[in-house]
Every structure is written in C-alpha cells, then in structure tokens.
Amino acid sequence: MELKIVYRVLRKISDWSLGGFYSDVYIEGQENVTSDGPLIIASTHHNEIIDIVTLAATIPHRRYLSFWAKSSMFANPLARSIMLSSGAIPVKRNPNIGDGSVSGSGVSSQTSLFRESSMALAHGGVIGVFPEGTSYTLPTIMQVMSGTAWAAIDFVKWARDKNGLSKLTIVPVGIVYTDKARYQSRVYVRYGEPIVVESYMPEMFGGGADVQAVTKAIVKQLTAEMERQMWTMTINAPDWDTLYAAQMARDIIYEDPANVPLRDWLSVSQNLVDLFTTSSSSATLDAAKTALTTYYSLLHYTGISHSSLTFLLPIKSKPLFIRLLRTVRHVLFAFFSFVFFLPPMLLHIPAYIAAKFAAKAFAKEGEVETEAQFKVIFGGVGLGVGLGVGLGAALGCLRKYGGLELVWKLLGKTAQEGVLGRLKRIVIVLGAAYSSVYLLVRWHNALVYDNYKRLKTLLSLHKLCLGLFPQRPASLEDLKKYQRPPVPPQNRFIKKKQDAGDGDSPVKNTCLPSTRKVPTRKLIKPLLAARKQAHFTLEAYLKTRTEDAEVARFLFKMRSRSSVE
C-alpha cells in the first residue's frame, strides 16, 4: 500500500484552504462515487487550482485523486518521487489538444499516450480530469473536449487485452461558486450520474466492424453525455446580460444571496436565467434586463452589495427615526462584536494583506478565475507568519516574566530532569502551540463571516453618506460608461469562437473605458435611481410571466420577497 505522504499533506492543506476561504460547502451525489474500483472524475473547471482543491477535499470516501501532469516535471529523480507521492500522472501531451487521437498510427497509438493513466486505473485508482481543457470565466460552458473519453476507451481496451476485465466509470462533476473570487462566499459541488464506459462499447468488441470509426463514434457519445450532465449541474446563460439580470433578480427576490439555501442555489439561479431567456423579445423583458444589468454594474463599480444597500436604505421607506435607530444599533453591535473578534483577527492580518496584495500583483486583470488561488496560497503563507509571530511573542513574554517556570512548577517539572525531561518539555510546548493555533483559527472562522459582512455594511454606509451629500453630479456621458459591467477578456484556449461580433454574443469583450474615472460618491445617486428602476421593471416583467405554470409556482414561493412599493 502506497503511503502517498505528499498527497496526504496536500489534501489536508486543501481541507484547510476550502474551509478557510469559503464559508460553506454543500455536496450532493456522494452516492454516485464508489468506494473502490477504477474511476474518472470529469469536472468543470472555472476556478483554476481551487477546482483541484475542491475535488481533493470533497471526493466521497476520501479516495486518492490523481491528475495529469507534464512528463517533463518527472525528469529529476527527486521531483519524480515528490510528484508520484502527490498522485500526479505523467503524460507527454495534453489529451485535450486536438481530437484525442494521434495522427499516423491511428487509435492504437493511444496506448503510449495514456499508458500511465491506464496503470493507475488498473490499480483501482481515481483520475481527475477537466474536459473543458482550460479554466475560464464565461456565462456558459463553452467546450467539452474529447480527451477524457479517449483515455477511458484506451483503458477499457487495454484492460480487456490484459485480463479480460474492462469495468470503468466516469462521474461528471459540477462545481458552482456563488462568487468564486470573493472571500467567505460559498461552494456547491454535485457528483453526477455514473457513466459506465463498457455499456457504450459492445460494438467495438463484436468483430467485423470498422474499429476506428466505431471508436470515434463512442468517443463522441461519451463526450456528449459528459457535456449534458455538466450543463445540468452548472449555471448556463446565453449571454452576459441574461446572466447579470438573473443574478440581480435573485438578489432582489432574496434580499441577500446568503438567504438562498446553498442546496437550492443552482436550481434558483438557473430558473431565473431561464426566466430571462426567451425565444422572442418583448418590451418588458428588454426593459427589465437593461435595468437589472445597469443596477448590477453600478453596484460593481461602487463596491456596494445589494444586501448592504437594502439594509441601510430599504426599498420600502420607513420613518427616518427607525432607519437611524437600525443604523446606530448595527454600528454598536458591530463594535462589540469586533472587540470579541479582535484577538484572532490580529493574527490573521498578515493573511488579509498578503491575499489582497497577491491577487492584485499576480492575477491578470479581468481573469476572475485566477484570483482565488493567489488569495488562498499567499493568505495561507501570511497566516503562517501571523501565527508564528503571535506564538513567538507569547512565548517571549512568558519567558521574560517567568511564566514558563510557573508552568513547569504546576506540572511538577524541574530544570534538572535531563534529556527525557527536556523532550517532555518540547512535547508540552508543541502541544500547547498546536492547541492554541487550532483554537485561534476556529475562533476566527466562527466569527469572521458576520464581522466581514458588518464591515462591508459600514463601508457602504460611509460611501452612501459621501454620495448623498450635496455635490456636482457626474455628466451623463461619464455615467454611461458605468452602466455596463466589465466582461472578462477572451481566453485563447477556448476553441469555439468567443466574439460573434454582435451584442448578443455571450463573451463580447466590452470592458470599461478608462479615459476619465468618476468618483464613487458621484455614482451613489445614480445607483439609488437604478435600484428603483430595477425593482419596478422586474415586477412588471414577472407579472407578464404568471401565465406560465412553472414560473407561477416559482414566483408564488418568492412573491412576498419581490414586492415593491
């Protein structure tokens, strides 16, 4: 039995990373992953390294998960031992490049390409792959490539020739982040229905058929089934405007994204996307999408969340005294909560600073999928520094003021205990340090979400106060630039055409012109006007859809939350 020490360490770090950066993780479909036997996990890939972290931390039965890695990384003997201990599988080329076949020698040459994968699967291993071929941020799944299917078929053929056994299962996985780059957001993971590869292949082993043609047909079928399941387990919109409108409608209906149960996040979000996706356009639909997108955009550029704005300035007007009382109460409660949160927060300050700096310094502008990984990696380093400095300072204080001698006396220890006594002291100190770190981190994680949210609300209050103060408004021409959200840049690894050249393209690159920046305070009044318009047009559009029975049932559940004055 392999120890895989590096993998165990990395998996533990994955557990800490996922639980520390995100506030909640919900997993469905665990029953679809068997406890043993060869398995391929085919996952969506929209958050770079964090997707690997999520799979390693959430895979049922804590099965060891291996990923493909470039064979050149195994050249050095030391690097090879580390890579193998981490569960990495060397491959000479990316199976997702091209159609998965190798020119010249046909399908049979797949054996050399996937030999290491087949060996891992033959030992009952689990391989994690990303059929999309790259990580990206787009409103829909753009591509599912055939490399996974080729690897599966290659193994089944190889295993059948070796020992007559050819059982292999592919389990598609959908990973949905409520806001993948934002600290303390949430993660929904769904393990899909198992795809038994052997059930697709009776014709291949029947004899008399064109094996290469049959193989390509099976690859196409397997890839199509993976794509179908990945679509049903993720949120997919035809274009950016529809996605933004659906997200904004969800926030308005629920007032706060946190009010949406994580188990319902996918269904609620996709239902709203479908609500704004129709074959024929209408005036009410166009008005609603435009208003919701404008409101979304202004929230983005002001750095204010809809939930904070609703808390501070509810859409349903309340007496000024009530609003002031709520604000004062929130400030006082935030202060006392912050005081109790202060000790663990101080030790985490290096992590906050390192994460923010790393995201700005290393993540490419507009590539949201690269931000979280740098926040997690450098935040973890910063946390280590903060805890080390804190524990060192505490130990120094104990030494300086005689605290250690008092501890030894209470434990019945003396300075003349020899080597064994010193070893016991070291064990006691290390145990105390571990316990302190564990308690401080748990203390921090238990309180960080509420305090982070209150901080955001207080910062929003500050922006609102500045924005509502009498001042010269921004020109309409300048404001127009802020009524469209920025769209991530094109990904060169996406094979499909990303810009159709029209306004309906799901990935049209419409980034904000930076010729003249409008101060945030001058966007506050337009933001409030956009919110009112978004509520009004959303209500008007929802009324036009009540004849649809499915939509009516959905709206009936949410109606009380979406009503406006």
Side-chain angles (χ1 to χ4, degrees), residues 288-309:
K289 288 177 73 170
T290 299
L292 289 166
T293 303
T294 300
Y295 181 38
Y296 178 97
S297 180
L298 288 168
L299 285 173
H300 170 80
Y301 289 120
T302 57
I304 297 175
S305 68
H306 173 74
S307 58
S308 294
L309 184 58

Side-chain angles (χ1 to χ4, degrees), residues 332-368:
L332 290 175
F333 193 79
F335 173 76
F336 288 111
S337 177
F338 175 76
V339 170
F340 189 66
F341 178 60
L342 189 60
M345 189 207 73
L346 290 174
L347 298 178
H348 282 73
I349 286 178
Y352 302 153
I353 296 174
K356 191 171 183 64
F357 168 78
K360 287 189 174 181
F362 300 110
K364 294 182 179 179
E365 185 178 2
E367 292 186 1
V368 186

Side-chain angles (χ1 to χ4, degrees), residues 248 252 287-288 290-292 294-296 298-299 306 309-310 313-317 524-540 562-565:
M248 204 65 259
I252 290 173
T290 299
L292 289 166
T294 300
Y295 181 38
Y296 178 97
L298 288 168
L299 285 173
H306 173 74
L309 184 58
T310 301
L313 293 175
I315 191 67
K316 288 187 175 181
S317 298
I524 297 301
K525 289 182 179 179
L527 171 65
L528 296 177
R531 179 180 68 157
K532 186 175 181 180
Q533 184 67 12
H535 276 73
F536 176 79
T537 56
L538 174 61
E539 182 75 6
S562 64
S563 126
V564 298
E565 59 178 348

